[in-house]
């Protein structure tokens, strides 16, 4: 029964994540801690492993269609993956209550990003040159750090970083972020996996659901108007972030 | 600048799909086997998770090798750096 519930949770997270352009961590970690009462360290590790699968398969589609900038993504990943490795290692030494509070802040940021109107027409996304690479690498490091510590993909930081600071077109930034998220999450997932923080059967069940959900979401994304879903999700995220804060204090 | 060399992107896309689809198939097998043999299911699931976690690395290695063959040494260096991070992750946890 637990396995089926985890598959269903993964399916929901993968579907919603794919429809709304999220990695899924902002759904998986609260679900595992608040519904399944999983310790936060195990929830973060499980989430990271699921994120690797979901974002890698999404990245494969973006690379095939030519939307993801492989060179930019790999360059920023040198900083982001280093940050994730450090974040994953530090997670074992940080009190879970701080993890809950930090996570709720990330949820607020995700809600803000989702609710605000998108700027820029993104007409010409074929000719651009990323600027401020040093700043981009620095922020990527911190995004990776949070990813390893909290079990999220870090897209809520990476996309605004690429569009706002590095002047990369939105379409390219979201696709490149998706490619980066898998590489960021993988070293941290290895740390959690080899550190014995994961129940591999539960993790497998969640990944199967998340994978199926993300494929379903990709197929449905052209047919569904996501505006209402987006607003509903903002409300859900805000509610979840308050519950995470309450669990942390 | 445009979004990457199409040949490299296509090949990386293929290898990522190969790894993730294989890993999910292995994990599906593990979950099906679990009610009958927990030990077998756990070792199968571990193999699946291992394949998932190295899948991004496979893409990075392939991108590095192809771009080196095309004369782009920078991307090769970047991919070597990322490989080192993965090795460090393994070393830190072992």
């Amino acid at each position: 029964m637990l396995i089926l519930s985890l598959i269903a949770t993964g399916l929901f997270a993968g579907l919603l994540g794919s429809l709304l352009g999220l990695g899924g961590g902002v759904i998986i970690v609260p679900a595992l801690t608040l519904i399944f009462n999983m310790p936060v360290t195990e929830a973060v590790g499980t989430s990271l492993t699921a994120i690797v699968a979901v974002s890698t398969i999404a990245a494969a589609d973006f690379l095939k269609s030519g939307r993801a900038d492989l060179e930019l993504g790999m360059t920023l990943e040198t900083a982001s993956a280093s940050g994730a490795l450090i974040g994953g290692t530090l997670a074992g030494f940080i009190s879970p209550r701080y993890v809950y509070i930090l996570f709720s802040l990330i949820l607020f940021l995700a809600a803000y990003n989702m609710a605000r109107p998108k700027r820029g027409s993104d007409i010409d996304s074929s000719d651009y040159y990323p600027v401020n690479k040093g700043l981009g690498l620095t922020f990527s490091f911190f995004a990776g750090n949070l990813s390893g510590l909290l079990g999220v993909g870090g897209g809520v930081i990476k996309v605004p970083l690429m569009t706002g600071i590095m002047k990369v077109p939105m379409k390219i930034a979201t696709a490149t972020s998706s490619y980066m998220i898998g590489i960021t999450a993988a070293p941290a997932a290895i740390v959690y996996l080899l550190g014995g923080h994961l129940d591999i059967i539960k993790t497998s069940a969640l990944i199967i659901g998340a994978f199926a959900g993300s494929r379903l979401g990709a197929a449905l994304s052209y047919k569904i108007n996501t505006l209402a879903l987006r607003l509903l999700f903002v409300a859900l995220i805000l509610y979840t972030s308050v519950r995470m804060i309450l669990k942390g204090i | 600048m445009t979004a990457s060399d199409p040949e490299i992107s296509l090949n990386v896309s293929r290898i990522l799909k190969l790894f993730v689809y294989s890993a999910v198939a292995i994990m599906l097998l593990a979950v099906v086997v679990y009610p009958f043999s927990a030990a077998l299911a756990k070792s199968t699931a571990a193999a699946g998770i291992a394949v998932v976690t190295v899948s991004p690395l496979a893409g990075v290695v392939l991108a590095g090798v192809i771009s080196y063959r095309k004369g782009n040494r920078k991307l090769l260096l970047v991919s070597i750096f990322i490989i080192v991070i993965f090795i460090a992750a393994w070393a830190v946890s072992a």
Side-chain angles (χ1 to χ4, degrees), chain B residues 27-48:
Chain B
M27 283 185 274
L28 196 58
L29 185 68
V31 170
V32 171
V33 165
Y34 186 60
F36 310 103
S37 167
L40 179 63
K42 280 184 180 174
S43 52
T44 311

Side-chain angles (χ1 to χ4, degrees), chain A residues 106-131:
Chain A
I106 287 292
L107 286 177
F108 274 119
L109 187 63
Y112 169 74
N113 272 343
M114 205 163 280
R116 74 179 177 150
K118 299 284 175 283
R119 284 180 303 164
S121 58
D122 200 23
I123 294 166
D124 187 8
S125 60
S126 61
D127 191 23
Y128 63 96
Y129 191 84
V131 295

Side-chain angles (χ1 to χ4, degrees), chain B:
Chain B
M1 185 176 177
T2 53
S4 299
D5 183 320
E7 189 198 333
I8 300 175
S9 295
L10 190 62
N11 282 301
V12 172
S13 165
R14 281 179 184 152
I15 201 165
L16 292 181
K17 276 189 179 166
L18 177 72
F19 268 72
V20 178
Y21 275 104
S22 310
V24 172
I26 294 169
M27 283 185 274
L28 196 58
L29 185 68
V31 170
V32 171
V33 165
Y34 186 60
F36 310 103
S37 167
L40 179 63
K42 280 184 180 174
S43 52
T44 311
I49 291 174
V51 176
V52 160
T53 48
V54 298
S55 57
L57 186 64
V60 166
V61 170
L62 188 67
V65 170
I66 300 176
S67 47
Y68 178 71
R69 285 171 62 184
K70 289 188 154 201
N72 183 351
R73 287 189 179 189
K74 187 195 150 201
L75 210 56
L76 178 72
L77 288 174
V78 167
S79 66
I80 289 171
F81 190 87
I82 295 172
I83 293 165
V84 169
I85 294 167
F86 273 74
I87 294 170
W90 174 78
V92 162
S93 338

Side-chain angles (χ1 to χ4, degrees), chain A residues 204-216:
Chain A
S204 296
L206 193 89
I207 291 176
I208 291 165
F211 177 80
S214 71
R215 297 284 80 194
L216 188 64

Side-chain angles (χ1 to χ4, degrees), chain A residues 20-99:
Chain A
L20 300 174
L22 300 166
V26 292
I27 305 164
I28 295 171
V29 175
L32 294 181
T33 52
L34 301 175
I35 301 171
F36 291 93
N37 280 320
M38 193 182 271
V40 72
T41 316
E42 188 182 338
V44 167
T46 305
S47 168
L48 280 169
T49 317
I51 285 171
V52 175
V54 170
S55 67
T56 302
I57 204 69
D61 289 339
F62 285 134
L63 285 167
K64 193 179 174 187
S65 65
R67 274 178 60 185
D69 188 332
L70 189 93
E71 194 165 333
L72 174 66
M74 280 179 63
T75 307
L76 291 178
E77 268 313 304
T78 54
S80 203
S82 314
L85 173 60
I86 293 170
T89 311
L90 285 177
F93 302 99
I94 291 177
S95 163
R97 58 187 296 197
Y98 294 118
V99 177

